[in-house]
Amino acid sequence: MGAPEFNPMEIDLSLAKRIAAARRLVALTGAGVSAESGLPTFRGAGGQWNNMRPEQLATAEGFRADPKMVWSWYQHRRRAYRLAAPNAGHLALAELGTILPSVTIATQNVDRLHQRAGSRQVIELHGNVVENHCMRCNEPAGEVSLESDELQACRHCGGWLRPSVVWFGEMLPVEALESASEAAAAADVFLSIGTSAQVYPAAQLPALAQHNGALLIEINPEPTPLSHLAEAVFRAPSAQVLPALVKAIRQVS
Ligand code: OAD
């Protein structure tokens, strides 16, 4: 038997009114948002880091030690992302962007599903898997064919191409982190959705927003280190909560 369905009656209309009145809403999203698109999370039940090692697959050292294995894993993920479709949670966030004056999504996801759902203001904190760059000279290399898992060489220097994602131990793109921090500090409402809130610096954004006066809401079936800070918590999948929340926001607007 699966988890019980989320009951939209759980949405307090006074909370919906506070969200509806937001001038600036920011959503920090993580792998859980894409779970209902069939993409596995990293931590928690069914998480990839339960049986795979992040230091082998998501670090520059891991790539140098075994570039073929790491490249194959990303090619496999890219194929999965291409086949996946945005779910009701992604679509509801995109719809929210058409209702409120400003909705910014700061995502740790590299799957581009927010953009495919129609969200306009998406900050990619951890890069994306679509593009590549050279491991040696950093030259951007765009997209590659997903037909083969063969390593690809840089056209400029012959170094191996790597996906343009942020690996552990690497800096986040400066502009992305700055924009996300500015948006968080200026937010009236901050939603933390489908993230275990364990990976920094992304995980500091909710507290930054709350410190600057934002209403902090968490949507996650499991507790996280953030849960005790949040003013409202929805313990249910985001593909169920977000459409119901957007419907309630429309009702009170
Ligand atoms: P995690 O895999 O750490 O956390 C996913 C969260 O989603 C967990 O807290 C789950 O409880 C929750 N979850 C699961 N199903 C859900 C659903 N249907 N709706 C809502 N929430 C759900 O993912 P992130 O927090 O995104 O970095 O992880 C952050 C970073 O760590 C990733 O960007 C990745 C990872 O290692 C790198 O690879 C460098």
Side-chain angles (χ1 to χ4, degrees), residues 54-245:
E55 60 275 25
Q56 283 181 340
L57 292 164
T59 63
E61 294 73 25
F63 184 84
R64 284 195 196 95
D66 194 343
K68 173 89 181 118
M69 180 189 67
V70 175
W71 182 256
S72 301
W73 187 59
Y74 277 95
Q75 289 291 83
H76 164 76
R77 283 176 61 191
R78 286 166 162 154
R79 288 190 281 266
Y81 293 165
R82 192 175 54 178
L83 291 176
N87 64 51
H90 296 107
L91 295 170
L93 278 177
E95 189 184 341
L96 196 57
T98 66
I99 304 173
L100 301 183
S102 167
V103 171
T104 302
I105 298 175
T107 190
Q108 298 163 89
N109 298 344
V110 294
D111 56 28
R112 290 257 158 111
L113 288 178
H114 286 302
Q115 291 93 328
R116 283 173 56 197
S119 283
R120 296 273 171 91
Q121 272 175 266
V122 183
I123 299 172
E124 292 180 323
L125 291 167
H126 291 174
N128 68 80
V129 274
V130 177
E131 288 157 328
N132 297 275
H133 63 273
C134 176
M135 188 72 187
R136 193 193 288 161
C137 74
N138 278 326
E139 184 74 17
E143 294 186 37
V144 294
S145 160
L146 303 187
E147 297 304 312
S148 130
D149 283 2
E150 285 303 305
L151 284 165
Q152 305 286 315
C154 171
R155 279 195 281 171
H156 295 265
C157 76
W160 294 132
L161 298 188
R162 56 162 283 182
S164 297
V165 298
V166 177
W167 281 331
F168 290 105
E170 294 181 333
M171 299 273 289
L172 271 62
V174 175
E175 210 179 300
L177 184 58
E178 271 176 16
S179 312
S181 303
E182 276 167 25
D188 314 302
V189 173
F190 191 100
L191 309 178
S192 177
I193 316 170
T195 175
S196 59
Q198 287 181 36
V199 176
Y200 283 80
Q204 80 199 12
L205 295 171
L208 173 68
Q210 190 177 48
H211 185 74
N212 285 279
L215 165 67
L216 178 59
I217 301 169
E218 179 174 69
I219 303 172
N220 195 318
E222 303 292 332
T224 75
L226 200 68
S227 303
H228 73 283
L229 288 179
E231 277 184 64
V233 175
F234 293 98
R235 283 269 165 266
S238 48
Q240 292 178 26
V241 176
L242 285 166
L245 199 56

Side-chain angles (χ1 to χ4, degrees), residues 5-6 42-43 64 99:
E5 283 284 300
F6 171 70
F42 297 98
R43 299 173 188 79
R64 284 195 196 95
I99 304 173

